[in-house]
Amino acid sequence: MPQIMIRGMELNDIKRISKPLVDELSEVIGCPRDYFTIEQIHSTFIADGEITKAYPFIQVNWFDRGQEIQDKAAKVIDSYVRDAGYEQVEVYFIVLNEEKYYENGEHY
């Protein structure tokens, strides 16, 4: 159930990379494609009182898969976002605790 939340990236760019990104992440992580969700979060970045252009800031919520898989997933995400024309990309992972995760009221 990797949930990918993206700030600072144009919707059309996200749409364009979404299928191949999920295809590759599915292989790296070892879970079905339909476990993934991608969400664009609209953000306004401000510096010195002015609205500024943002760089992609990508949060991945998931269950721990170990450092090696996390490193591979980060590189895959970085590669697709850079290929979409963004020079700087930040990716961070939030590890969910399986004991505290519920789906439709049922413990995961």
Side-chain angles (χ1 to χ4, degrees):
M1 80 52 57
Q3 178 189 40
I4 302 168
M5 300 181 338
I6 303 172
R7 293 172 181 81
M9 199 171 166
E10 295 294 325
L11 180 59
N12 285 334
D13 293 336
I14 296 170
K15 288 168 54 177
R16 187 172 54 252
I17 69 168
S18 64
K19 184 181 182 327
L21 173 63
V22 170
D23 287 344
E24 191 165 343
L25 285 174
S26 178
E27 289 182 29
V28 167
I29 294 170
C31 69
R33 293 185 88 263
D34 64 349
Y35 281 20
F36 288 84
T37 60
I38 298 176
E39 176 182 358
Q40 181 199 37
I41 298 176
H42 176 74
S43 297
T44 303
F45 288 68
I46 301 167
D48 297 326
E50 300 293 326
I51 295 174
T52 63
K53 185 168 170 77
Y55 55 86
F57 195 68
I58 301 165
Q59 174 181 324
V60 180
N61 297 331
W62 70 348
F63 298 122
D64 188 20
R65 288 168 168 83
Q67 190 67 51
E68 182 180 346
I69 298 298
Q70 181 174 296
D71 291 348
K72 288 179 182 178
K75 287 181 194 272
V76 167
I77 293 167
D78 181 85
S79 174
Y80 278 95
V81 174
R82 285 180 186 274
D83 286 349
Y86 296 87
E87 293 180 21
Q88 180 177 345
V89 181
E90 293 191 12
V91 179
Y92 70 102
F93 292 82
I94 303 283
V95 176
L96 303 173
N97 185 326
E98 291 177 353
E99 291 80 30
K100 296 181 181 177
Y101 187 87
Y102 292 78
E103 183 174 347
N104 299 323
E106 297 295 322
H107 186 265
Y108 191 75

